[in-house]
Amino acid sequence: MSSLIRPLVRALAPYVPGEQPASPGLIKLNTNENPYPPSPKVLRAVRAATDERLRLYPNPTSRRLRERLAALHGCTPEHVFVGNGSDECLALAVRAFVEPAAGRGGRRGTDRRTLVQYFTPSYSLYPVLTDIHGAVRHPVPLADGFALPDVRALARQGRWRADAALTIITTPNAPGGRSYTTAELDAICRRQRGVVLLDEAYVDFAREHAMALALAHPHVLVARTFSKAYSLCFQRVGYLVGNPELIAALDAIRDSYNVNGLGQIAAEATLDDLPYYQRNFRRIIATRERMSDGLRSLGFEVFPSETNFVLVRPPRFAARTWLERLRDRKILVRWFDSPDLKPYLRITVGTDEQTDALLSAARHILRVRASGRTTRGRR
Amino acid sequence: MSSLIRPLVRALAPYVPGEQPASPGLIKLNTNENPYPPSPKVLRAVRAATDERLRLYPNPTSRRLRERLAALHGCTPEHVFVGNGSDECLALAVRAFVEPAAGRGGRRGTDRRTLVQYFTPSYSLYPVLTDIHGAVRHPVPLADGFALPDVRALARQGRWRADAALTIITTPNAPGGRSYTTAELDAICRRQRGVVLLDEAYVDFAREHAMALALAHPHVLVARTFSKAYSLCFQRVGYLVGNPELIAALDAIRDSYNVNGLGQIAAEATLDDLPYYQRNFRRIIATRERMSDGLRSLGFEVFPSETNFVLVRPPRFAARTWLERLRDRKILVRWFDSPDLKPYLRITVGTDEQTDALLSAARHILRVRASGRTTRGRR
């Protein structure tokens, strides 16, 4: 039986997405969704398109959406790739630009063509995609406070590979929340001889973005998504911007109709109402700062964030205990079971009301524990 | 520049999907869409779900839909994989069950683990997926009239591989339209030592389906789609049924949120109104027979079809000429630029009105040509 399945696939440890609870009663601060709904214009556009057209195939190249994105970013539609969420964009980049290591024998781990390089911690999907493709992980630790390390120094020690086939940088970083300047990113891009993918999933909550690098350098791609900032997780639309030759390579290996039609329509309508979203970004940023201050005042260590989440080290109890006690109070946050992230929780910025509930729950957990009661009977 | 892209990807010839025209004035008989809209219940369910929920991630495992499909087919949800259209299901099957040939040196083409075996003609995506993965195509010609060949005899000549890692059978055949009995398919499945994928994209228009084989044999998968029979091309929902170990392998390599939320909801609502679709199947089958008779009376050779399209060899002019002349009359049909299919057109079964327009256009094209006028000035 198992001989029917590739050994590489049998050996995979799957990526575990955050919980998507079926019950609606929970405060969901675990998967970085926007707490505000899509623009009413988007909902109207999707409802208006929900008619006999559903029987037809969608545009196979997301043509209109690519034209709109090109106008937004000051490039041509040939610079834009639209995917089934930015996860598909990332997966295709690994498969287009990186060689599987299998069969490359003794050079495994040193052959530049097989290397997917990324900082740790960052999006936990990168090593999963690397493994699925049979390529070679090349994780490089970030410096203190999730700062970019001195890659020149690391390169001299053989710990940074300027020749890696693909280097992925999450900017702003997830789950750290820290952002990087375009100048810092440009310096790294200029050193790299393989493809550099700047994963800007959270960039709308940051002060600076690096889209210019995708248009300036032939080997740099920027990934964006409609999921988080644009409240469209449900419909799976992400995109990449970069050199048309790289985009064409991704096009050659994607499914023909990779982006569903209502997703394309929703994304196009989103671009018709950007001020609506920009107002929400400002609200989320204000709430983020208030939440950060509130958590700090309760003894949490809070990393400065330019995203719609904060990474925190909670006081008194282990992070995993906090995860469970918050869940008891119907609040979902994210905890990563990895050595470097075990002490932390990642908390999505919700509405002001959800943030009040979170702070109140945190106060209660600290108070109840401080009073010395046991947890017996509570779960 | 091009050194950034894998040589395998640079060398790919992309799959060319049928034209999806932007202008609505055309009669679209080129990509096998159902001429009838989705059930009103489906449209209502999608509109009702188009609200603030779009900000949330969809269920990552299409759980409710898998439960419904399991109930429909008499299996468990662990027997069901839901994909972003059946195209994604097919692509993942190649990547889960077949080894890339690169690096396997001299054994290329004979190593069973690298072989994707399929009949020709059939769905032109199979060789494309094989090439994208760097696996080895093993096409086997069908017998006359698109009948299944005697694979036992072919195996003795080394032309059929009972040990191929993956064998894909389109049943009913596309673009031929011919169906196969479960007994015939079972006989082939029993010989195979690799995975067999029965691609039943068009099976709702046939007399017999082979779902039982996916539940009887641990190495057999059946692929289905909501696109064609269920008028849902726009939303990209396909699925596979088979042994949970095979399903788990596909799960390990798919994107976490591979199926958009409104697509899941539309597919679930489809299952609430199957009688609506079954009525449409009967209408399409009746129209197919009337169209076939009408075309035969005009001198077309028409292959018997158990799908929602017919393959025809048109009279008097080359198929490609017919393609252009029908397009001049705003009727799109499909022509495949491959040696074995050049003489044919594939025509989707439309509404009765569309079929009348097609027959009328065909009569006109034959009459105009018969009168000896030139085409000058017409294009």
Coordinates of all heavy atoms in Angstrom, one line a residue, chain B residues 124-202:
Chain B
S124 N -5.7 16.6 -22.5 CA -4.4 17.0 -22.9 C -3.6 17.6 -21.7 O -2.4 17.9 -21.9 CB -4.5 18.0 -24.0 OG -5.4 19.1 -23.7
L125 N -4.2 17.7 -20.6 CA -3.5 18.2 -19.4 C -2.5 17.1 -18.8 O -1.5 17.5 -18.2 CB -4.5 18.6 -18.3 CG -3.9 19.1 -17.0 CD1 -3.2 20.5 -17.3 CD2 -5.0 19.3 -15.9
Y126 N -2.8 15.8 -19.0 CA -2.0 14.8 -18.4 C -0.5 14.9 -18.8 O 0.4 14.9 -17.9 CB -2.5 13.4 -18.7 CG -3.9 13.1 -18.4 CD1 -4.7 12.2 -19.1 CD2 -4.6 13.8 -17.3 CE1 -6.0 12.0 -18.9 CE2 -5.9 13.5 -17.1 CZ -6.7 12.6 -17.9 OH -8.0 12.4 -17.6
P127 N -0.2 15.0 -20.1 CA 1.3 15.1 -20.4 C 1.9 16.5 -19.9 O 3.0 16.5 -19.5 CB 1.3 15.1 -22.0 CG -0.1 15.3 -22.4 CD -1.0 14.8 -21.3
V128 N 1.0 17.5 -19.8 CA 1.5 18.8 -19.3 C 1.9 18.6 -17.8 O 3.0 19.0 -17.4 CB 0.5 19.9 -19.5 CG1 0.9 21.2 -18.8 CG2 0.2 20.1 -21.0
L129 N 1.1 18.0 -17.1 CA 1.4 17.8 -15.6 C 2.6 16.9 -15.5 O 3.4 17.1 -14.6 CB 0.1 17.1 -14.9 CG -1.1 18.0 -14.8 CD1 -2.2 17.2 -14.2 CD2 -0.9 19.3 -14.0
T130 N 2.7 15.9 -16.3 CA 3.9 15.0 -16.3 C 5.1 15.8 -16.5 O 6.1 15.6 -15.8 CB 3.7 13.9 -17.4 OG1 2.5 13.2 -17.2 CG2 4.8 12.9 -17.3
D131 N 5.1 16.6 -17.5 CA 6.3 17.4 -17.8 C 6.7 18.4 -16.7 O 7.8 18.6 -16.4 CB 6.1 18.2 -19.1 CG 6.0 17.3 -20.4 OD1 6.3 16.1 -20.2 OD2 5.6 17.8 -21.4
I132 N 5.6 19.1 -16.2 CA 5.9 20.0 -15.1 C 6.6 19.3 -13.9 O 7.5 19.9 -13.3 CB 4.5 20.6 -14.6 CG1 4.0 21.6 -15.6 CG2 4.7 21.3 -13.2 CD1 2.6 22.1 -15.3
H133 N 6.2 18.1 -13.7 CA 6.8 17.4 -12.5 C 8.1 16.8 -12.9 O 8.8 16.3 -12.0 CB 5.8 16.3 -12.1 CG 6.1 15.6 -10.8 ND1 6.4 16.2 -9.6 CD2 6.3 14.3 -10.5 CE1 6.7 15.4 -8.7 NE2 6.7 14.2 -9.2
G134 N 8.5 16.8 -14.1 CA 9.7 16.1 -14.5 C 9.6 14.6 -14.6 O 10.6 13.9 -14.4
A135 N 8.4 14.1 -14.7 CA 8.2 12.7 -14.8 C 8.2 12.3 -16.2 O 8.5 13.1 -17.1 CB 6.9 12.3 -14.1
V136 N 7.9 11.0 -16.5 CA 8.0 10.5 -17.9 C 6.6 10.1 -18.4 O 5.9 9.3 -17.8 CB 8.9 9.2 -17.9 CG1 9.0 8.7 -19.3 CG2 10.3 9.6 -17.3
R137 N 6.3 10.7 -19.6 CA 5.0 10.4 -20.2 C 5.0 9.0 -20.8 O 6.0 8.6 -21.4 CB 4.8 11.3 -21.4 CG 4.9 12.8 -21.2 CD 4.7 13.4 -22.6 NE 4.8 14.9 -22.5 CZ 4.5 15.7 -23.5 NH1 4.0 15.2 -24.6 NH2 4.6 17.0 -23.4
H138 N 3.9 8.3 -20.6 CA 3.8 7.0 -21.2 C 2.4 6.9 -21.9 O 1.5 6.3 -21.3 CB 4.0 5.8 -20.2 CG 4.2 4.5 -20.9 ND1 5.3 4.2 -21.5 CD2 3.3 3.5 -21.1 CE1 5.2 3.0 -22.0 NE2 4.0 2.5 -21.8
P139 N 2.3 7.5 -23.0 CA 1.0 7.5 -23.7 C 0.7 6.2 -24.4 O 1.7 5.6 -25.0 CB 1.1 8.7 -24.7 CG 2.6 8.8 -25.0 CD 3.3 8.3 -23.8
V140 N -0.5 5.7 -24.4 CA -0.8 4.5 -25.0 C -2.1 4.7 -25.9 O -3.1 5.2 -25.4 CB -1.2 3.4 -24.0 CG1 -1.6 2.1 -24.7 CG2 0.1 3.1 -23.1
P141 N -2.0 4.5 -27.2 CA -3.1 4.8 -28.1 C -4.3 4.0 -27.8 O -4.2 2.8 -27.5 CB -2.6 4.5 -29.5 CG -1.1 4.5 -29.4 CD -0.8 4.1 -28.0
L142 N -5.5 4.6 -27.8 CA -6.7 3.8 -27.7 C -7.0 3.1 -29.0 O -6.3 3.4 -30.0 CB -7.9 4.8 -27.5 CG -8.0 5.5 -26.1 CD1 -9.0 6.6 -26.1 CD2 -8.4 4.4 -25.0
A143 N -7.8 2.1 -28.9 CA -8.2 1.3 -30.1 C -9.2 2.1 -31.0 O -9.5 3.3 -30.6 CB -8.8 0.0 -29.7
D144 N -9.6 1.6 -32.1 CA -10.5 2.3 -33.0 C -11.8 2.7 -32.2 O -12.3 2.0 -31.4 CB -11.0 1.3 -34.1 CG -9.9 1.3 -35.3 OD1 -9.0 2.1 -35.2 OD2 -10.1 0.5 -36.2
G145 N -12.3 3.9 -32.6 CA -13.5 4.4 -32.0 C -13.3 4.7 -30.5 O -14.2 4.7 -29.7
F146 N -12.0 4.9 -30.1 CA -11.7 5.3 -28.7 C -12.0 4.2 -27.7 O -12.1 4.4 -26.5 CB -12.4 6.6 -28.3 CG -12.2 7.7 -29.3 CD1 -13.2 8.1 -30.1 CD2 -11.0 8.4 -29.3 CE1 -13.0 9.1 -31.1 CE2 -10.8 9.4 -30.2 CZ -11.8 9.7 -31.1
A147 N -12.0 2.9 -28.2 CA -12.2 1.8 -27.3 C -10.9 1.5 -26.6 O -9.8 1.9 -27.0 CB -12.5 0.5 -28.2
L148 N -11.0 0.9 -25.4 CA -9.9 0.5 -24.6 C -9.1 -0.6 -25.4 O -9.7 -1.5 -25.9 CB -10.3 0.0 -23.2 CG -10.9 1.1 -22.3 CD1 -11.4 0.4 -21.0 CD2 -9.8 2.1 -22.0
P149 N -7.8 -0.5 -25.5 CA -7.1 -1.6 -26.2 C -6.9 -2.8 -25.3 O -7.2 -2.7 -24.1 CB -5.7 -0.9 -26.4 CG -5.5 0.1 -25.3 CD -6.9 0.6 -25.0
D150 N -6.4 -3.8 -25.8 CA -6.1 -5.1 -25.1 C -4.8 -4.8 -24.4 O -3.7 -5.0 -24.9 CB -6.1 -6.2 -26.1 CG -5.7 -7.6 -25.3 OD1 -5.4 -7.5 -24.1 OD2 -5.8 -8.6 -26.0
V151 N -4.9 -4.4 -23.1 CA -3.6 -4.0 -22.4 C -2.8 -5.2 -22.1 O -1.6 -5.1 -22.0 CB -3.9 -3.2 -21.1 CG1 -4.7 -1.9 -21.4 CG2 -4.6 -4.0 -20.1
R152 N -3.4 -6.4 -22.0 CA -2.6 -7.6 -21.8 C -1.7 -7.9 -23.0 O -0.5 -8.1 -22.9 CB -3.5 -8.8 -21.6 CG -2.8 -10.1 -21.3 CD -3.8 -11.3 -21.2 NE -4.7 -11.0 -20.1 CZ -5.0 -11.9 -19.1 NH1 -4.4 -13.1 -19.1 NH2 -5.8 -11.6 -18.2
A153 N -2.2 -7.7 -24.2 CA -1.4 -7.9 -25.4 C -0.4 -6.8 -25.5 O 0.8 -7.1 -25.8 CB -2.3 -7.9 -26.7
L154 N -0.8 -5.6 -25.2 CA 0.2 -4.5 -25.3 C 1.3 -4.7 -24.3 O 2.5 -4.3 -24.5 CB -0.5 -3.1 -25.0 CG -1.4 -2.6 -26.1 CD1 -2.1 -1.3 -25.7 CD2 -0.7 -2.4 -27.4
A155 N 1.0 -5.2 -23.1 CA 2.0 -5.4 -22.1 C 3.0 -6.4 -22.5 O 4.2 -6.3 -22.3 CB 1.3 -5.9 -20.8
R156 N 2.6 -7.4 -23.3 CA 3.5 -8.4 -23.8 C 4.5 -7.8 -24.8 O 5.7 -8.2 -24.9 CB 2.8 -9.6 -24.5 CG 2.3 -10.6 -23.5 CD 1.8 -11.9 -24.2 NE 0.7 -11.7 -25.2 CZ -0.6 -11.8 -24.8 NH1 -0.9 -12.2 -23.6 NH2 -1.5 -11.6 -25.7
Q157 N 4.0 -6.7 -25.5 CA 4.9 -6.0 -26.4 C 5.7 -4.9 -25.7 O 6.4 -4.1 -26.4 CB 4.1 -5.4 -27.5 CG 3.3 -6.4 -28.3 CD 2.1 -5.7 -29.1 OE1 2.2 -4.5 -29.3 NE2 1.1 -6.4 -29.4
G158 N 5.5 -4.8 -24.4 CA 6.2 -3.7 -23.7 C 5.6 -2.3 -23.9 O 6.2 -1.3 -23.5
R159 N 4.4 -2.3 -24.5 CA 3.8 -1.0 -24.7 C 2.8 -0.6 -23.7 O 2.4 0.6 -23.7 CB 3.1 -1.0 -26.1 CG 4.2 -1.1 -27.2 CD 3.6 -1.6 -28.6 NE 2.6 -0.7 -29.0 CZ 1.6 -1.0 -29.9 NH1 1.5 -2.3 -30.3 NH2 0.7 -0.1 -30.2
W160 N 2.5 -1.5 -22.8 CA 1.6 -1.1 -21.6 C 2.4 -1.5 -20.4 O 3.0 -2.5 -20.3 CB 0.3 -1.9 -21.7 CG -0.6 -1.6 -20.5 CD1 -0.6 -2.4 -19.3 CD2 -1.4 -0.5 -20.2 NE1 -1.5 -1.8 -18.4 CE2 -2.0 -0.7 -19.0 CE3 -1.7 0.6 -21.0 CZ2 -2.9 0.3 -18.4 CZ3 -2.6 1.6 -20.5 CH2 -3.2 1.4 -19.2
R161 N 2.4 -0.6 -19.4 CA 3.1 -0.8 -18.2 C 2.2 -1.1 -17.0 O 1.6 -0.1 -16.5 CB 4.1 0.4 -17.9 CG 5.2 0.6 -19.0 CD 6.3 -0.5 -18.8 NE 7.0 -0.4 -17.6 CZ 8.1 0.2 -17.4 NH1 8.7 0.8 -18.4 NH2 8.7 0.3 -16.2
A162 N 2.1 -2.3 -16.6 CA 1.3 -2.7 -15.5 C 1.9 -2.1 -14.2 O 1.2 -2.0 -13.1 CB 1.1 -4.2 -15.4
D163 N 3.2 -1.7 -14.3 CA 3.9 -1.2 -13.1 C 4.0 0.3 -13.0 O 4.7 0.8 -12.1 CB 5.2 -1.9 -13.0 CG 6.1 -1.5 -14.2 OD1 5.6 -0.9 -15.2 OD2 7.3 -1.9 -14.2
A164 N 3.4 1.0 -14.0 CA 3.5 2.5 -14.0 C 3.1 3.1 -12.6 O 2.1 2.6 -12.0 CB 2.7 3.1 -15.1
A165 N 3.8 4.1 -12.1 CA 3.5 4.7 -10.8 C 2.1 5.2 -10.8 O 1.4 5.1 -9.8 CB 4.5 5.8 -10.5
L166 N 1.7 5.8 -12.0 CA 0.3 6.4 -12.1 C -0.3 6.1 -13.5 O 0.4 6.4 -14.4 CB 0.4 7.9 -11.8 CG -1.0 8.6 -11.9 CD1 -2.0 8.1 -10.8 CD2 -0.7 10.1 -11.7
T167 N -1.5 5.6 -13.5 CA -2.2 5.4 -14.8 C -3.5 6.2 -14.7 O -4.2 6.1 -13.7 CB -2.5 3.9 -15.0 OG1 -1.3 3.2 -15.1 CG2 -3.3 3.7 -16.3
I168 N -3.7 7.1 -15.7 CA -4.9 7.9 -15.6 C -5.8 7.5 -16.8 O -5.3 7.4 -17.9 CB -4.6 9.4 -15.8 CG1 -3.4 9.8 -14.8 CG2 -5.8 10.3 -15.5 CD1 -3.1 11.3 -14.8
I169 N -7.0 7.2 -16.5 CA -8.0 6.8 -17.5 C -9.2 7.8 -17.5 O -9.8 7.9 -16.4 CB -8.5 5.4 -17.3 CG1 -7.3 4.4 -17.2 CG2 -9.5 5.0 -18.4 CD1 -7.7 3.0 -16.9
T170 N -9.4 8.5 -18.6 CA -10.6 9.4 -18.7 C -11.8 8.6 -19.1 O -11.8 8.0 -20.2 CB -10.3 10.4 -19.8 OG1 -8.9 10.8 -19.8 CG2 -11.2 11.7 -19.6
T171 N -12.8 8.6 -18.2 CA -13.9 7.7 -18.4 C -15.2 8.4 -18.0 O -15.4 8.6 -16.8 CB -13.7 6.3 -17.8 OG1 -15.0 5.6 -17.9 CG2 -13.4 6.4 -16.3
P172 N -16.1 8.7 -18.9 CA -16.0 8.5 -20.4 C -14.8 9.3 -20.9 O -14.3 10.3 -20.3 CB -17.3 9.1 -20.9 CG -18.2 9.2 -19.8 CD -17.4 9.3 -18.5
N173 N -14.3 8.8 -22.1 CA -13.2 9.5 -22.7 C -13.5 10.9 -23.2 O -14.6 11.2 -23.6 CB -12.7 8.7 -23.9 CG -11.6 9.3 -24.7 OD1 -11.7 9.9 -25.7 ND2 -10.4 9.1 -24.1
A174 N -12.5 11.8 -23.0 CA -12.5 13.1 -23.6 C -11.3 13.2 -24.5 O -10.2 12.8 -24.0 CB -12.6 14.2 -22.6
P175 N -11.3 13.6 -25.7 CA -12.4 14.2 -26.3 C -13.3 13.3 -27.2 O -14.2 13.7 -27.9 CB -11.8 15.2 -27.3 CG -10.5 14.5 -27.7 CD -10.1 13.7 -26.5
G176 N -13.1 12.0 -27.0 CA -13.8 11.0 -27.9 C -15.3 10.9 -27.5 O -16.1 10.7 -28.4
G177 N -15.6 11.0 -26.2 CA -16.9 10.9 -25.7 C -17.4 9.5 -25.4 O -18.5 9.3 -24.8
R178 N -16.6 8.5 -25.7 CA -17.0 7.1 -25.5 C -16.9 6.7 -24.0 O -15.9 7.1 -23.3 CB -16.1 6.2 -26.3 CG -16.4 4.8 -26.1 CD -15.5 3.9 -26.9 NE -15.8 2.5 -26.7 CZ -15.9 1.6 -27.6 NH1 -15.7 1.9 -28.9 NH2 -16.2 0.3 -27.3
S179 N -17.8 5.9 -23.5 CA -17.7 5.4 -22.1 C -17.2 4.0 -22.1 O -17.1 3.3 -23.1 CB -19.0 5.5 -21.5 OG -19.9 4.5 -21.9
Y180 N -16.8 3.6 -20.9 CA -16.3 2.3 -20.7 C -17.1 1.6 -19.6 O -17.5 2.3 -18.6 CB -14.8 2.3 -20.3 CG -14.0 3.1 -21.3 CD1 -13.3 4.3 -20.9 CD2 -13.9 2.7 -22.7 CE1 -12.6 5.0 -21.9 CE2 -13.2 3.5 -23.6 CZ -12.6 4.6 -23.2 OH -11.9 5.4 -24.1
T181 N -17.2 0.3 -19.6 CA -18.0 -0.4 -18.6 C -17.1 -0.5 -17.3 O -15.9 -0.5 -17.4 CB -18.4 -1.7 -19.0 OG1 -17.3 -2.6 -19.2 CG2 -19.3 -1.7 -20.3
T182 N -17.8 -0.6 -16.2 CA -17.0 -0.9 -14.9 C -16.2 -2.2 -15.0 O -15.1 -2.2 -14.5 CB -18.0 -0.9 -13.8 OG1 -18.7 0.3 -13.7 CG2 -17.3 -1.1 -12.4
A183 N -16.8 -3.2 -15.7 CA -16.1 -4.4 -15.9 C -14.8 -4.3 -16.6 O -13.7 -4.8 -16.2 CB -17.0 -5.4 -16.6
E184 N -14.8 -3.5 -17.7 CA -13.6 -3.2 -18.5 C -12.5 -2.5 -17.6 O -11.4 -2.8 -17.7 CB -13.9 -2.3 -19.7 CG -14.6 -2.9 -20.9 CD -14.8 -1.7 -21.9 OE1 -15.7 -0.9 -21.6 OE2 -14.1 -1.7 -22.9
L185 N -13.0 -1.5 -16.9 CA -12.1 -0.7 -16.1 C -11.5 -1.5 -15.0 O -10.3 -1.5 -14.6 CB -12.8 0.5 -15.6 CG -13.3 1.5 -16.7 CD1 -14.2 2.6 -16.1 CD2 -12.1 2.2 -17.3
D186 N -12.4 -2.4 -14.4 CA -12.0 -3.2 -13.3 C -10.9 -4.2 -13.8 O -9.9 -4.4 -13.0 CB -13.2 -4.0 -12.7 CG -12.8 -4.7 -11.4 OD1 -12.0 -4.2 -10.6 OD2 -13.4 -5.8 -11.2
A187 N -11.0 -4.7 -15.0 CA -10.0 -5.6 -15.5 C -8.6 -4.9 -15.6 O -7.6 -5.5 -15.3 CB -10.4 -6.2 -16.8
I188 N -8.6 -3.7 -16.0 CA -7.4 -2.9 -16.1 C -6.8 -2.6 -14.7 O -5.7 -2.8 -14.4 CB -7.5 -1.6 -16.9 CG1 -7.8 -2.0 -18.4 CG2 -6.3 -0.8 -16.8 CD1 -8.0 -0.8 -19.3
C189 N -7.7 -2.1 -13.8 CA -7.3 -1.8 -12.5 C -6.6 -3.0 -11.8 O -5.6 -2.9 -11.1 CB -8.5 -1.4 -11.6 SG -9.1 0.3 -12.0
R190 N -7.2 -4.2 -12.0 CA -6.7 -5.4 -11.3 C -5.2 -5.7 -11.8 O -4.5 -6.4 -11.1 CB -7.6 -6.6 -11.6 CG -8.8 -6.5 -10.7 CD -9.8 -7.6 -11.1 NE -11.1 -7.4 -10.4 CZ -11.3 -7.8 -9.1 NH1 -10.3 -8.4 -8.4 NH2 -12.4 -7.6 -8.5
R191 N -4.9 -5.3 -13.0 CA -3.6 -5.6 -13.5 C -2.5 -4.7 -13.0 O -1.3 -5.0 -13.0 CB -3.5 -5.5 -15.1 CG -4.3 -6.5 -15.8 CD -4.1 -6.2 -17.3 NE -2.7 -6.3 -17.7 CZ -2.1 -7.5 -17.9 NH1 -2.7 -8.6 -17.9 NH2 -0.8 -7.5 -18.3
Q192 N -3.0 -3.5 -12.6 CA -2.0 -2.4 -12.3 C -1.4 -2.5 -10.9 O -2.1 -2.8 -9.9 CB -2.7 -1.0 -12.4 CG -3.1 -0.7 -13.9 CD -1.9 -0.9 -14.8 OE1 -2.0 -1.8 -15.7 NE2 -0.9 0.0 -14.7
R193 N -0.1 -2.3 -10.8 CA 0.6 -2.3 -9.5 C 0.8 -0.9 -8.9 O 1.2 -0.7 -7.8 CB 1.9 -3.1 -9.6 CG 1.6 -4.5 -10.0 CD 2.8 -5.5 -9.8 NE 3.9 -5.1 -10.6 CZ 4.0 -5.5 -11.9 NH1 3.1 -6.2 -12.5 NH2 5.1 -5.2 -12.6
G194 N 0.6 0.1 -9.8 CA 0.7 1.5 -9.3 C -0.7 2.1 -9.1 O -1.7 1.3 -9.0
V195 N -0.8 3.4 -8.9 CA -2.1 4.0 -8.6 C -2.8 4.1 -10.0 O -2.2 4.5 -11.0 CB -1.9 5.4 -8.0 CG1 -3.2 6.2 -7.9 CG2 -1.2 5.3 -6.6
V196 N -4.1 3.9 -10.0 CA -4.9 4.1 -11.1 C -5.9 5.2 -10.8 O -6.6 5.1 -9.8 CB -5.7 2.9 -11.6 CG1 -6.6 3.2 -12.8 CG2 -4.8 1.7 -11.8
L197 N -6.0 6.3 -11.6 CA -6.9 7.4 -11.4 C -7.9 7.4 -12.5 O -7.5 7.5 -13.7 CB -6.1 8.7 -11.3 CG -6.9 9.9 -10.8 CD1 -5.9 10.9 -10.2 CD2 -7.8 10.5 -11.8
L198 N -9.2 7.1 -12.1 CA -10.2 7.1 -13.1 C -10.8 8.6 -13.1 O -11.4 9.0 -12.1 CB -11.3 6.1 -12.8 CG -10.8 4.7 -12.6 CD1 -11.9 3.8 -12.1 CD2 -10.2 4.2 -13.9
D199 N -10.6 9.3 -14.2 CA -11.0 10.7 -14.3 C -12.5 10.7 -14.9 O -12.7 10.6 -16.1 CB -10.1 11.4 -15.2 CG -10.4 12.9 -15.3 OD1 -11.4 13.3 -14.8 OD2 -9.5 13.6 -15.8
E200 N -13.4 10.8 -13.9 CA -14.8 10.8 -14.3 C -15.5 12.2 -14.4 O -16.6 12.4 -14.0 CB -15.6 9.9 -13.3 CG -15.3 8.5 -13.3 CD -16.3 7.6 -12.6 OE1 -17.0 8.1 -11.7 OE2 -16.4 6.4 -13.0
A201 N -14.7 13.1 -15.0 CA -15.2 14.5 -15.1 C -16.6 14.6 -15.8 O -17.4 15.4 -15.5 CB -14.2 15.3 -15.9
Y202 N -16.9 13.6 -16.7 CA -18.1 13.7 -17.5 C -19.1 12.6 -17.2 O -20.0 12.4 -18.0 CB -17.7 13.7 -19.0 CG -16.9 14.8 -19.4 CD1 -15.5 14.7 -19.6 CD2 -17.4 16.1 -19.7 CE1 -14.7 15.8 -19.9 CE2 -16.7 17.2 -20.0 CZ -15.3 17.0 -20.2 OH -14.5 18.1 -20.5

